[in-house]
Amino acid sequence: MPLFGLKFGKKKLKEEERHLQANNRDFNLEFEYANNSIKTSKYNFFTFLPLNLFEQFQRIANAYFLFLLILQLIPQVSSLSWFTTVVPLVLVLTVSGVKDAIDDFNRHKSDNHVNNRPVQVLINGRLKDDKWMNIQVGDIIKLENNNFVTADLLLLSSSEPHSLTYIETAELDGETNLKVKQALTVTAELGLDLQKLSDFNGEVKCEAPNNKLDKFTGTLTLHGEKFALDNEKMLLRGCTIRNTEWCFGLVIYAGPDTKLMQNCGKTTFKRTSIDRLMNVLVLVIFAFLALMCFILAIGNGIWEYDTGYYFQVYLPWADGVSSAPYSGFLMFWSYVIILNTVVPISLYVSVEIIRLGNSFYIDWDRKMYYPLNDTPAQARTTTLNEELGQIKYIFSDKTGTLTQNIMAFNKCSINGKSYGEVYDLAGQRTEITEHTEKVDFSYNQLADPKFVFYDHSLVEAVKLDDAATHRFFRLLSLCHTVMPEEKKEGNLVYQAQSPDEGALVTAARNFGFVFRARTPETITVVEMGETKVYELLAILDFNNVRKRMSVIVRSPEGDLTLYCKGADTIVYELLDSSCGPLKDETMEHLNEFAGEGLRTLVLAYKNLPEDYFEEWHQRHHEASTALDGREEKLSELYEEIEKDLMLLGATAIEDKLQDGVPQTIETLAKAHIKIWVLTGDKQETAVNIGYSCNMLHDDMKDVFIIEGNTSEAVLDELRSARKKMKPDSFLDSDEINIKFENPSTKSRILPEEQANGVYGLVINGHSLAYALEGNMELELVRTACMCKVVICCRVTPLQKAQVVELVKKYKKAVTLAIGDGANDVSMIKTAHIGVGISGQEGMQAVLSSDFSFAQFRYLQRLLLVHGRWSYIRMCKFLRYFFYKNFAFTLVHFWYGFFSGFSAQTVYDQWFITLYNLVYTSLPVLGMSLFDQDVDDRWSMQFPHLYEPGQQNLYFNKIEFVKCVLHGTYSSLILFFIPYGAMYDTVRSDGKAIADYQSFALMAQTCLLIVVSVQIGLDTAYWTAVNQFFIWGSLSVYFAIIFTMYSDGMYLIFTASFPFIDPG
């Protein structure tokens, strides 16, 4: 490990291309590639103290108190004891340091756990047990079923036929379904033969490390022959091996170079906007303090020159003071110490206590507890609570965050007849409830017991051997990429690449067409109890452009058939002209299904002539092995064969949302919070969810789709959308256009722009990549921020973070990101507030988050109740705190004019010490921990109450000026009323009352009563605790005063009474 965690020496050059050789560590070490060790912690044993103190002293107030402490150690200027500063300063630094140490210790534990995971590495023909952190680029390692993938590997061979390997990518893209990877044929032959694997010396040349999860380009050179490598042959770190006994892989990228780590955003220290404002205000107060001290120092110089110089017999100058100007100079620093209470260090201690208390409220909230998996809400940080009350933009993942990731086959249309509704005896449609009779699938031994359907007529059609219905379900059982898992006879579990595929195959299973097994060449289906093996001749893959998937199979009877399913708009273009009437009937059903927010697909088929298929299949093989233009050639072939299809019908699937999601989104929208969905899912899925969640709706003026494949096309689409929403935004007189035409303008913050209606925006990942480039980002943020809802599809984890960063850069708004998978970590770390949902996809998102809970619906309570209360309480606290301290401190300022500017304190030292520590600390803490303007029920019922926080109305620079003026006014009254009342007054026996002690006692008593009344006026919600703190603080004050000024105390501690001359 480098000394103190720092690396010295020459800077590593940027990697352009990676070149490595299998089983040759000496060759690979020349390139100084990173090993497989990761580090997410900030400190080590040696650097913790200096780095942590450096970070803490970046807080201006901490540095200021250190400076005060140094001043108090100088006898000539010290007017207060040194311990009045050192004790609270050490306390604050210790509390913050311990908290940071615990956080970093947990990060170290996590790093050590990962780095020390065991793995089998092939060395000198033998498998050796080693740790993850010792793995090097070029090593060959063995992985077994349910193992985590150690690094980014090139798959060499596996236990499965054709060297297929099944992986789960939940930690990468949030999807829990299985995906299939396949090794090159030339490496698949290595099998489990350790000698062959040890002799393997292939050379790989590939792209430099990057964050693109779905892309890999490289070549493998073996025995002088080159083979193309792509993402289908890669196993990425973060994946888990499933349903595969063993596999071998060659390490391409390790540790920080892996795509998972490249997608992890840097850990940044998050501060709230109030924190940043407090830093600015502290600077302003310092300037104000310096001005007051300067005025008093000038006053002292003049007074000593005009008056004090001639009275040195009675008022001798201090040792070393030889002139009035020098006396004024020393008095400047003395007054810095006396007046420092305008920014007492207790402010920061109190702020941390308030935040901690409000964090406990979140942890203890039973209404945010999810009993099904025993998960309470958790505040994982205590520094961001009040910012929860200021959120303007929410960036949400979709899968597992808005949805349960559970799909249900709901309805279908077969040969012009709609199924799925329930009718009564009179033929009237009835609503489905929990009492509605379900279809009994007990006749089917392989049926899924969890599957629920209510329309009995569909089962009857299947049992009556209706040809169209059988073909419909046969298509669903064949046209998919689902993997079956049968651990016990008859106990089938499907692993689907998308939940809707799983739902469709499960529906076919229950209606008698059971998908049982698959190999790369065959699909086994049990049709109405009879096992049939179909020969799988070709898979025509789904992609965003095609929006459909097809398979070509040969039945046991020898029939060649193409089965196709896809988006209605696409498949309808491919149908045979003879399908006219059926198209119209099916379209009616599709519109009905879509109106209910269901996800729809159209099914079609085509019988193929043998001779034509043989010729097409030969061309397909040539295209699939081409190195150049492979995708374009395949696309043309697909287009050619997917023509003149016969329509079968349509499916309608309900994507099960989490409970309360639509209501939550509706409530948050009423609070003027804008919601952006950033998902790796395809566009149709995301848009359908948008409608299901009440984000998108038919009342919107328009929903813009941005899907250009060039930067020019994307720019045109964005501009045309903005022109429709706000035509005036293209005028030269537009405020933003003027601002950005002037390059000298430093502020990049865009003002809010109002559209002429309600709009939505949907943008694809490839289009987003262009939109995030250089000059186009401004166009994107202007257009997107005018829309009420934005949905970004097919985005990478890093793009999620870039979108969040874009809004932070151009909008003066607080952002919140919420997600449940490792693919959301970058976004969670980038946003002002990160929320993790502890769901089905591991704990990566939760571990990186600031707050966590189990269900999306708890977000409205977190923001509208806890966030709003925290913000109001913090603002009230700061307003009162600055008021009471200005009122307290400025009395000294006025007193300076009546005490020869001698840095004499008005109050006794005990009062100065205990004012912030005892007398006024608990009442303001009571208000800041318990105050509510309205209860939680009203906060949720009236989301508009959230708006003042978004606009930061309760504490800002103007509110601060009001506090200062209020405090200044109070200090004038608190000084001059007691002064006037005691001026030239005498007791009944003729003795003067106007002594220093009596005046000080009266001034400090008036001050304490006034600030106590003020806290009472500021409190909106009285509890027994508030009453106890206020009356208790006053009682403690009077008890201490009566004790201190009693004759007994004077006789015991005569020297401690500064008011009375013991001589």
Side-chain angles (χ1 to χ4, degrees):
M1 179 177 279
L3 185 64
F4 301 131
L6 303 170
K7 290 187 178 179
F8 300 99
K10 64 179 183 181
K11 189 179 178 182
K12 190 178 175 184
L13 294 172
K14 190 175 188 302
E15 193 176 337
E16 298 292 337
E17 182 186 70
R18 178 149 293 203
H19 184 197
L20 61 104
Q21 195 173 83
N23 292 312
N24 191 343
R25 278 194 173 183
D26 294 335
F27 175 82
N28 299 326
L29 284 170
E30 291 175 19
F31 298 97
E32 297 183 7
Y33 296 137
N35 66 12
N36 205 38
S37 174
I38 62 162
K39 177 175 176 286
T40 60
S41 54
K42 287 164 66 177
Y43 315 106
N44 62 32
F45 183 78
F46 298 104
T47 61
F48 174 73
L49 202 58
L51 279 182
N52 188 259
L53 286 175
F54 176 72
E55 282 179 7
Q56 292 208 53
F57 282 119
Q58 284 182 315
R59 185 179 267 180
I60 296 167
N62 285 348
Y64 168 63
F65 291 120
L66 182 64
F67 170 69
L68 270 186
L69 177 60
I70 294 166
L71 276 184
Q72 284 177 307
L73 296 174
I74 303 169
Q76 286 87 344
V77 297
S78 181
S79 44
L80 289 171
S81 302
W82 61 271
F83 58 80
T84 57
T85 299
V86 77
V87 172
L89 178 62
V90 168
L91 181 68
V92 170
L93 295 176
T94 304
V95 169
S96 299
V98 167
K99 181 173 160 292
D100 291 342
I102 291 169
D103 288 347
D104 207 59
F105 176 71
N106 289 332
R107 281 193 285 268
H108 271 286
K109 265 176 68 177
S110 172
D111 289 349
N112 288 336
H113 173 69
V114 172
N115 287 334
N116 287 296
R117 280 176 178 163
V119 66
Q120 297 180 75
V121 58
L122 187 65
I123 294 178
N124 299 326
R126 296 175 61 193
L127 284 172
K128 176 189 162 193
D129 289 329
D130 209 336
K131 295 176 179 175
W132 274 31
M133 61 183 176
N134 298 327
I135 298 302
Q136 304 279 350
V137 169
D139 287 353
I140 291 177
I141 61 174
K142 182 185 181 185
L143 297 173
E144 295 177 344
N145 195 30
N146 297 327
N147 281 175
F148 288 108
V149 177
T150 311
D152 288 356
L153 310 176
L154 171 66
L155 178 61
L156 297 178
S157 63
S158 84
S159 56
E160 300 306 296
H162 308 280
S163 277
L164 295 175
T165 298
Y166 303 110
I167 59 167
E168 185 182 278
T169 60
E171 291 295 307
L172 281 175
D173 56 18
E175 296 181 7
T176 51
N177 51 283
L178 291 192
K179 294 181 174 60
V180 184
K181 301 289 182 177
Q182 186 169 8
L184 285 166
T185 309
V186 69
T187 63
E189 294 165 358
L190 301 171
L192 191 57
D193 189 325
L194 297 186
Q195 190 55 51
K196 281 185 182 178
L197 285 161
S198 294
D199 295 339
F200 177 70
N201 62 350
E203 281 194 31
V204 173
K205 285 187 178 177
C206 62
E207 60 195 10
N210 60 65
N211 52 47
K212 295 173 182 169
L213 292 172
D214 57 348
K215 186 172 171 290
F216 176 77
T217 308
T219 59
L220 169 69
T221 306
L222 187 63
H223 310 313
E225 195 175 345
K226 272 191 178 181
F227 301 90
L229 302 178
D230 58 25
N231 204 45
E232 295 308 306
K233 297 165 185 63
M234 293 292 292
L235 305 178
L236 301 184
R237 180 179 181 135
C239 301
T240 309
I241 305 294
R242 299 285 190 218
N243 299 356
T244 306
E245 193 179 331
W246 54 262
C247 66
F248 283 90
L250 170 66
V251 178
I252 306 293
Y253 305 120
D257 291 342
T258 58
K259 291 184 184 283
L260 175 69
M261 296 307 293
Q262 292 274 314
N263 269 291
C264 282
K266 291 181 181 176
T267 302
T268 53
F269 183 66
K270 295 181 178 181
R271 288 193 186 281
T272 66
S273 54
I274 284 182
D275 262 338
R276 292 189 290 274
L277 177 60
M278 274 166 58
N279 271 348
V280 173
L281 295 181
V282 165
L283 284 174
V284 172
I285 292 170
F286 288 162
F288 183 60
L289 174 64
L291 178 65
M292 288 194 296
C293 294
F294 181 71
I295 291 168
L296 293 168
I298 295 289
N300 178 264
I302 294 169
W303 190 87
E304 292 290 0
Y305 183 79
D306 286 346
T307 310
Y309 179 78
Y310 303 104
F311 284 87
Q312 289 190 54
V313 174
Y314 305 104
L315 294 169
W317 284 353
D319 293 341
V321 177
S322 56
S323 66
Y326 185 58
S327 172
F329 173 75
L330 292 179
M331 283 304 151
F332 176 87
W333 299 111
S334 295
Y335 271 114
V336 166
I337 294 170
I338 287 176
L339 301 178
N340 83 79
T341 46
V342 282
V343 192
I345 198 164
S346 59
L347 168 68
Y348 289 95
V349 178
S350 302
V351 163
E352 292 303 320
I353 291 170
I354 293 163
R355 286 174 173 163
L356 184 65
N358 284 310
S359 297
F360 281 131
Y361 291 150
I362 294 170
D363 294 346
W364 297 336
D365 191 341
R366 291 192 174 193
K367 291 180 181 175
M368 293 170 69
Y369 169 73
Y370 190 56
L372 289 183
N373 54 8
D374 188 28
T375 308
Q378 189 180 11
R380 297 176 51 80
T381 179
T382 59
T383 57
L384 302 171
N385 302 42
E386 69 271 11
E387 208 146 52
L388 288 170
Q390 298 178 275
I391 302 298
K392 185 73 177 170
Y393 289 88
I394 291 175
F395 300 90
S396 175
D397 176 40
K398 183 196 74 70
T399 310
T401 302
L402 299 178
T403 66
Q404 299 176 31
N405 220 1
I406 299 169
M407 308 279 184
F409 181 82
N410 198 292
K411 293 177 182 177
C412 62
S413 169
I414 303 174
N415 201 25
K417 185 177 180 189
S418 176
Y419 296 94
E421 296 288 357
V422 178
Y423 297 89
D424 59 19
L425 295 174
Q428 297 295 313
R429 186 184 294 181
T430 60
E431 189 179 345
I432 293 172
T433 66
E434 57 187 30
H435 303 297
T436 307
E437 186 187 354
K438 299 171 186 173
V439 171
D440 181 11
F441 291 107
S442 58
Y443 70 91
N444 181 354
Q445 295 298 313
L446 295 171
D448 184 345
K450 296 176 189 168
F451 182 82
V452 176
F453 202 75
Y454 297 94
D455 188 351
H456 293 70
S457 63
L458 184 54
V459 180
E460 297 305 317
V462 172
K463 287 180 178 177
L464 292 170
D465 293 335
D466 178 65
T469 308
H470 277 218
R471 188 174 279 126
F472 180 92
F473 285 115
R474 186 176 296 118
L475 185 153
L476 293 182
S477 67
L478 293 170
C479 186
H480 55 76
T481 57
V482 173
M483 298 302 305
E485 197 176 347
E486 192 168 2
K487 289 179 179 173
K488 287 191 290 185
E489 180 72 25
N491 184 14
L492 271 172
V493 177
Y494 291 143
Q495 302 287 353
Q497 291 211 21
S498 64
D500 43 358
E501 268 206 331
L504 292 174
V505 177
T506 301
R509 168 185 174 179
N510 277 59
F511 284 103
F513 288 74
V514 184
F515 166 56
R516 193 73 181 263
R518 85 181 304 146
T519 70
E521 290 90 17
T522 63
I523 295 177
T524 304
V525 179
V526 179
E527 295 185 5
M528 305 302 289
E530 182 185 346
T531 301
K532 291 188 176 182
V533 179
Y534 288 84
E535 189 181 347
L536 180 60
L537 301 171
I539 296 177
L540 284 58
D541 291 327
F542 176 94
N543 65 34
N544 273 335
V545 178
R546 285 169 40 74
K547 296 182 180 174
R548 62 188 183 275
M549 175 202 174
S550 300
V551 293
I552 300 174
V553 296
R554 192 191 305 274
S555 70
E557 294 78 29
D559 298 326
L560 271 176
T561 312
L562 179 147
Y563 291 109
C564 176
K565 67 179 182 189
D568 51 6
T569 51
I570 300 296
V571 176
Y572 262 48
E573 296 294 319
L574 308 174
L575 295 177
D576 189 78
S577 55
S578 62
C579 297
L582 182 57
K583 278 169 72 172
D584 297 337
E585 289 173 359
T586 307
M587 183 53 76
E588 276 184 36
H589 296 153
L590 283 166
N591 292 335
E592 192 179 312
F593 298 156
E596 295 172 29
L598 303 177
R599 300 155 59 102
T600 58
L601 285 175
V602 170
L603 313 186
Y605 75 100
K606 176 184 180 181
N607 292 318
L608 298 172
E610 189 75 44
D611 52 351
Y612 166 72
F613 175 73
E614 285 301 325
E615 185 264 335
W616 181 90
H617 197 241
Q618 179 61 36
R619 287 185 287 139
H620 177 263
H621 177 71
E622 290 168 6
S624 62
T625 53
L627 289 178
D628 298 322
R630 183 188 301 177
E631 287 185 12
E632 291 78 6
K633 289 174 182 174
L634 285 173
S635 184
E636 286 175 18
L637 282 168
Y638 294 168
E639 292 280 343
E640 178 191 319
I641 202 166
E642 290 173 323
K643 282 181 182 172
D644 303 324
L645 304 178
M646 303 301 294
L647 180 60
L648 263 176
T651 61
I653 293 174
E654 182 185 2
D655 189 354
K656 294 277 188 185
L657 290 171
Q658 285 189 16
D659 293 341
V661 166
Q663 297 86 338
T664 300
I665 287 173
E666 196 176 331
T667 304
L668 294 173
K670 285 178 184 173
H672 292 282
I673 297 172
K674 293 187 176 182
I675 299 175
W676 293 27
V677 176
L678 311 176
T679 176
D681 275 351
K682 56 182 187 275
Q683 184 179 307
E684 293 78 14
T685 309
V687 170
N688 279 324
I689 288 294
Y691 280 104
S692 304
C693 293
N694 290 346
M695 284 189 289
L696 300 174
H697 46 81
D698 296 331
D699 295 339
M700 284 184 162
K701 261 196 166 183
D702 203 352
V703 176
F704 304 111
I705 309 288
I706 311 294
E707 49 189 355
N709 288 312
T710 65
S711 56
E712 292 79 14
V714 173
L715 184 62
D716 288 343
E717 288 174 346
L718 287 171
R719 282 189 170 163
S720 62
R722 178 156 66 91
K723 194 162 190 176
K724 184 169 183 180
M725 289 190 287
K726 190 182 179 188
D728 294 351
S729 64
F730 285 88
L731 299 176
D732 292 338
S733 57
D734 181 73
E735 181 185 353
I736 296 173
N737 293 336
I738 294 168
K739 182 175 185 175
F740 281 86
E741 275 173 16
N742 181 6
S744 63
T745 306
K746 288 186 180 178
S747 173
R748 306 175 73 91
I749 300 299
L750 296 175
E752 288 296 322
E753 294 184 274
Q754 293 299 322
N756 55 20
V758 178
Y759 294 91
L761 181 82
V762 179
I763 183 166
N764 265 312
H766 58 267
S767 305
L768 185 63
Y770 292 118
L772 289 169
E773 290 173 357
N775 298 330
M776 283 181 61
E777 65 175 21
L778 180 63
E779 192 65 49
L780 172 65
V781 80
R782 284 189 73 178
T783 305
C785 288
M786 272 196 266
C787 298
K788 189 174 182 183
V789 173
V790 177
I791 298 176
C792 302
C793 325
R794 290 292 184 200
V795 291
T796 65
L798 195 72
Q799 279 181 324
K800 291 183 177 186
Q802 287 171 330
V803 170
V804 176
E805 190 61 56
L806 184 68
V807 174
K808 283 174 68 178
K809 178 178 175 182
Y810 285 107
K811 288 288 179 181
K812 191 178 180 180
V814 181
T815 59
L816 179 146
I818 179 168
D820 69 323
N823 56 320
D824 304 314
V825 167
S826 296
M827 171 175 81
I828 284 169
K829 286 182 175 179
T830 304
H832 292 103
I833 304 265
V835 177
I837 288 190
S838 41
Q840 308 296 319
E841 298 177 15
M843 294 294 286
Q844 286 274 3
V846 170
L847 292 172
S848 302
S849 67
D850 305 307
F851 300 90
S852 69
F853 41 71
Q855 294 278 291
F856 182 84
R857 68 176 183 271
Y858 298 147
L859 183 61
Q860 63 178 327
R861 186 167 179 84
L862 183 72
L863 301 188
L864 302 185
V865 177
H866 292 288
R868 189 173 161 277
W869 281 350
S870 294
Y871 172 71
I872 290 172
R873 288 165 180 167
M874 184 60 74
C875 293
K876 274 192 170 186
F877 164 78
L878 291 171
R879 290 202 306 260
Y880 175 76
F881 207 93
F882 283 123
Y883 156 75
K884 78 180 177 70
N885 282 293
F886 271 95
F888 170 77
T889 307
L890 288 176
V891 172
H892 284 301
F893 181 75
W894 310 126
Y895 183 62
F897 290 89
F898 295 85
S899 63
F901 307 98
S902 58
Q904 174 82 47
T905 57
V906 179
Y907 324 110
D908 66 70
Q909 286 222 12
W910 281 107
F911 183 79
I912 293 170
T913 306
L914 298 177
Y915 177 73
N916 278 310
L917 203 62
V918 177
Y919 300 147
T920 60
S921 60
L922 290 178
V924 70
L925 281 177
M927 180 185 72
S928 308
L929 290 172
F930 302 108
D931 206 47
Q932 303 171 15
D933 56 344
V934 295
D935 66 16
D936 57 342
R937 194 166 46 88
W938 291 104
S939 295
M940 299 275 276
Q941 199 168 332
F942 296 98
H944 290 291
L945 291 170
Y946 190 78
E947 287 180 54
Q950 293 172 324
Q951 297 164 30
N952 202 16
L953 296 182
Y954 293 153
F955 189 75
N956 49 47
K957 290 170 186 172
I958 294 171
E959 289 297 319
F960 173 70
V961 170
K962 288 180 185 174
C963 296
V964 173
L965 293 175
H966 188 192
T968 306
Y969 163 75
S970 297
S971 69
L972 281 165
I973 301 295
L974 287 165
F975 176 75
F976 285 104
I977 295 291
Y979 177 79
M982 299 192 71
Y983 188 71
D984 283 345
T985 53
V986 292
R987 298 193 309 203
S988 55
D989 60 0
K991 291 184 178 179
I993 293 177
D995 62 275
Y996 179 31
Q997 178 184 8
S998 301
F999 172 70
L1001 188 59
M1002 182 181 285
Q1004 66 195 37
T1005 304
C1006 290
L1007 169 70
L1008 198 58
I1009 289 171
V1010 165
V1011 297
S1012 297
V1013 170
Q1014 185 61 50
I1015 192 97
L1017 294 172
D1018 286 348
T1019 301
Y1021 182 72
W1022 284 90
T1023 66
V1025 177
N1026 295 80
Q1027 297 274 8
F1028 175 74
F1029 282 170
I1030 291 174
W1031 296 111
S1033 295
L1034 285 170
S1035 303
V1036 168
Y1037 167 73
F1038 284 110
I1040 288 173
I1041 287 298
F1042 284 126
T1043 304
M1044 280 179 59
Y1045 295 134
S1046 66
D1047 292 342
M1049 288 296 287
Y1050 170 65
L1051 292 172
I1052 299 168
F1053 302 107
T1054 307
S1056 299
F1057 281 71
F1059 302 118
I1060 301 168
D1061 181 2

